[in-house]
Amino acid sequence: MQVVDSPFQNSNSWDPFIAFSGPATKTEAWAKENSSDGIDARADRDNLPIVVARLGEGVQRKGDRVASGAHEPIDFVVVIGQEDEPTVHVAMQGPER
């Protein structure tokens, strides 16, 4: 796992995001453990606006699994790639500091 710098340079940006990858079975287990639906929604095109707004361009591709929402007070966006060892990107934003 690695913490990746935020793609944005302003004070309203989301916190730096986390990226990790691993075998599909472990990534799938993580998705099921952290989401009631297992993060099943598939992106219908590259660079969905909600993903670009949170993670920047080029992170998400058509067919990647995408989830967004809130676990108050934290808003989140998750992208799970389609590779044999999928890369997962997670962006979170908490209350203003």
Side-chain angles (χ1 to χ4, degrees), residues 1 7 10 28 35-36 39 42 50 52 58 64 79 91-92 97:
M1 179 178 1
N10 65 49
E28 190 61 32
S35 174
S36 59
I39 308 177
R42 299 273 179 176
I50 193 163
V52 170
D64 288 351
V79 175
M92 297 169 284
R97 298 175 198 158

Side-chain angles (χ1 to χ4, degrees), residues 5-10 12-14 17 51-57:
D5 285 335
S6 173
F8 306 105
Q9 300 299 321
N10 65 49
N12 295 325
S13 70
W14 282 42
F17 57 88
V51 175
V52 170
R54 307 309 189 243
L55 293 166
E57 290 189 19

